[in-house]
Amino acid sequence: MAKLNIVLFEPEIPSNTGNIGRTCAATDSRLHLIEPLGFKLNEKAIQRAGMDYWKELDVVRYINYQDFLDKNPGAKIYMATTKGKNVYTDVSYEPDCYIMFGKESGGIPEEILAHHRADCIRIPMAGESRSLNLANSVAIVLYEALRQNAFSHMKLEGSLTKFDDYIE
C-alpha cells in the first residue's frame, strides 16, 4: 500500500515534531526525520504533543540529507517553502510522494531548494507574514495530498455514540 511521506529537515522544536507525528499516525503517513534534531526523541514535549499516537508512528531517521537521498533513490519530493513559486494546491501529489519541510528557524536551505525549483510549493499568506507554524503547515499540505488521493484507506465518516437511536 502506498503511503504519503512527510520529511522534516533538521526539526528544532519537540512539540512541533510531536504534533506532526500524531498527524502522521492518524493519516497512516510515514514520518522521515533528517538529523541533526534540536531535541532528543524521548523528550517529554514530544510525548505530550504526540500523546499515545507515537507508538503507532512509522518513523525513519537519517543522519543527514545525503543519507535521506541515498536511502530513497528516485523519490518524488515536494519542497514546502515560502520561496516556492507553486501554490500547494496546484500540484498533483502522487500516492507515495515525499513532502519536505524545513527547520523552524530557517526552512530548507537554498542549496537544496535550487535542485528542486519546479517542485517547490508554498502556502499563500497575506502581507509580510514570515511563515506558519511547522505543524500547521504540515497538516495543511498533507490533507491536500490526502484529498487528492481520495483519502485512500481512511475512515470517511463517524457516528454519534450516545444518540444512535435519535431520529431528527
Side-chain angles (χ1 to χ4, degrees):
M1 170 176 74
K3 280 190 179 198
L4 288 168
N5 296 275
I6 296 298
V7 182
L8 301 183
F9 178 86
E10 300 180 2
E12 300 166 316
I13 301 174
S15 59
N16 278 339
T17 301
N19 282 318
I20 293 164
R22 182 177 180 171
T23 299
C24 286
T27 59
D28 195 29
S29 301
R30 185 173 291 121
L31 178 61
H32 302 260
L33 301 174
I34 298 175
E35 297 182 6
L37 308 180
F39 51 85
K40 296 191 182 316
L41 284 177
N42 61 357
E43 283 191 29
K44 287 184 181 183
I46 288 181
Q47 294 169 359
R48 269 195 307 274
M51 295 178 63
D52 56 343
Y53 293 89
W54 198 260
K55 66 182 177 297
E56 299 169 23
L57 181 61
D58 182 359
V59 64
V60 184
R61 291 174 66 179
Y62 305 91
I63 58 171
N64 56 36
Y65 180 66
Q66 189 58 53
D67 184 36
F68 167 76
L69 291 177
D70 291 346
K71 291 179 178 167
N72 297 287
K76 176 63 174 176
I77 306 169
Y78 295 96
M79 303 279 175
T81 173
T82 58
K83 298 171 176 135
K85 302 259 188 232
N86 303 306
V87 174
Y88 77 101
T89 55
D90 291 341
V91 300
S92 296
Y93 299 95
E94 298 82 352
D96 57 351
C97 70
Y98 292 71
I99 308 168
M100 181 179 286
F101 296 82
K103 60 181 159 184
E104 291 90 340
S105 67
I108 301 169
E110 287 195 9
E111 54 269 15
I112 293 174
L113 295 175
H115 295 285
H116 298 273
R117 288 176 198 236
D119 298 316
C120 288
I121 57 172
R122 68 173 283 116
I123 299 169
M125 294 177 285
E128 297 302 315
S129 297
R130 194 175 70 237
S131 66
L132 296 174
N133 171 274
L134 179 61
N136 292 339
S137 296
V138 169
I140 289 167
V141 178
L142 175 58
Y143 267 86
E144 173 61 17
L146 290 164
R147 183 194 68 79
Q148 288 185 17
N149 285 279
F151 298 105
S152 178
H153 303 95
M154 295 182 74
K155 184 177 178 182
L156 298 179
E157 63 180 62
S159 63
L160 298 173
T161 55
K162 294 181 180 180
F163 301 98
D164 284 341
D165 296 329
Y166 179 75
I167 300 174
E168 290 184 31

